[in-house]
């Protein structure tokens, strides 16, 4: 396989047609080696428009979904990001290139180790992996500028929304199959949130996020 040609085709044939047009995001996807975050047994799927299997029955998001979430989060260089669901560490790597600091939570020990090793090899010293249940976030180190839930949830818990700074954004995929939508929450003030539905997609459920939780704006 010609890796660079496959990467180019992924960007031009999958990602750009999915309204990912931010030049900085496209450049980043060309530079960060996705194949280094894919388990060796599935290396041939690194640039395919599919969810790549990970240990424990988990999976990486499809490349176009990763790219679109990254674009819509609009992470800035001075910001601190919390990710829930490290997986193989690829989304954390992308976020790490855009943010000042990234903390990514992963409750599965094997995946936490994989993500840590992949990020270490990639030289991303501003990204740390914590083996922890992400459902309650990381209030002790918040509030955060951006929270990314790298998978789907039935509904975003209030405890996570409460960890956003004013002006902070939380992005995830919300709902239940067959109807799920990527959504962006923005904290407008101490007591006010806005919610925008971005696009339809389907993604694997994050551990611990199966049941809807009540919250209010």
């Amino acid at each position: 396989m010609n890796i660079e040609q496959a990467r180019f085709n992924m960007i031009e044939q999958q990602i750009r047609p999915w309204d990912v047009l931010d030049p900085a995001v496209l450049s980043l996807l060309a530079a960060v080696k996705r194949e280094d975050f894919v388990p060796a047994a599935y290396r041939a799927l690194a640039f395919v428009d599919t969810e790549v299997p990970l240990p424990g029955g988990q999976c990486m998001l499809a490349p176009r979904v990763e790219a679109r979430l990254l674009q819509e989060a609009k992470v800035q260089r001075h910001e601190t990001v919390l990710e829930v669901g490290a997986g193989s560490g690829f989304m954390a790597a992308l976020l790490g290139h855009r943010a000042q600091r990234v903390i990514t939570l992963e409750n599965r020990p094997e995946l936490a180790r994989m993500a840590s090793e992949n990020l270490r090899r990639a030289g991303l010293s501003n990204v740390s992996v914590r083996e922890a249940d992400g459902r309650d976030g990381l209030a002790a180190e918040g509030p955060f500028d951006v929270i990314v839930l790298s998978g789907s949830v039935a509904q975003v818990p209030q405890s996570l929304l409460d960890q956003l700074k004013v002006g902070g954004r939380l992005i995830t995929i919300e709902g239940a199959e067959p109807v799920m939508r990527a959504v962006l929450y923005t904290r407008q003030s101490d007591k006010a949130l806005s919610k925008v539905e971005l696009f339809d997609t389907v993604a694997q459920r994050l551990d611990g996020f199966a049941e809807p939780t009540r919250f209010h704006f």
Side-chain angles (χ1 to χ4, degrees):
M1 178 174 68
N2 182 326
I3 294 242
E4 293 312 318
Q5 185 63 51
R7 195 187 325 278
F8 176 84
N9 291 345
M10 174 189 72
I11 292 169
E12 296 302 320
Q13 297 172 13
Q14 299 172 38
I15 291 172
R16 192 187 291 272
W18 231 46
D19 291 331
V20 180
L21 304 174
D22 182 335
V25 171
L26 295 171
S27 295
L28 187 57
L29 292 165
V32 179
K33 297 187 179 302
R34 191 174 198 269
E35 66 274 19
D36 290 348
F37 291 83
V38 173
Y42 299 103
R43 196 63 52 87
L45 298 178
F47 308 109
V48 176
D49 184 19
T50 190
E51 295 182 333
V52 175
L54 294 174
Q58 300 301 289
C59 64
M60 297 174 68
L61 293 170
R64 58 191 169 94
V65 177
E66 292 168 335
R68 188 77 184 276
L69 292 175
L70 183 67
Q71 174 178 269
E72 302 297 343
K74 294 183 171 62
V75 178
Q76 305 296 311
R77 175 51 63 189
H78 66 279
E79 292 184 321
T80 298
V81 179
L82 176 69
E83 182 194 24
V84 176
S88 70
F90 183 63
M91 179 61 93
L94 295 173
L95 292 165
H97 280 281
R98 302 202 29 113
Q100 182 177 78
R101 180 180 180 225
V102 177
I103 303 170
T104 181
L105 306 180
E106 176 54 60
N107 71 335
R108 294 177 180 246
E110 186 175 7
L111 290 180
R113 288 193 298 271
M114 174 190 288
S116 294
E117 179 61 21
N118 288 341
L119 289 159
R120 184 193 63 77
R121 284 203 319 267
L124 283 151
S125 59
N126 66 328
V127 182
S128 61
V129 180
R130 309 280 181 88
E131 186 182 322
D133 184 349
R135 184 174 174 80
D136 293 323
L138 198 62
E141 298 191 40
F144 299 96
D145 298 290
V146 179
I147 299 176
V148 178
L149 309 185
S150 290
S152 69
V153 303
Q155 194 173 72
V156 178
Q158 183 70 40
S159 58
L160 286 175
L161 294 167
D162 287 344
Q163 291 172 44
L164 287 175
K165 292 180 181 177
V166 174
R169 291 91 62 207
L170 183 150
I171 193 163
T172 189
I173 296 160
E174 198 175 62
E177 290 193 73
V179 182
M180 294 185 184
R181 292 186 177 90
V183 294
L184 179 70
Y185 290 89
T186 302
R187 179 158 294 287
Q188 308 289 349
S189 68
D190 288 342
K191 295 186 178 180
L193 286 161
S194 66
K195 176 182 177 181
V196 176
E197 295 184 347
L198 300 170
F199 56 91
D200 293 345
T201 190
V202 174
Q204 186 179 48
R205 183 72 84 220
L206 282 170
D207 284 347
F209 286 85
E211 295 302 319
T213 55
R214 296 181 63 185
F215 67 93
H216 61 275
F217 285 98

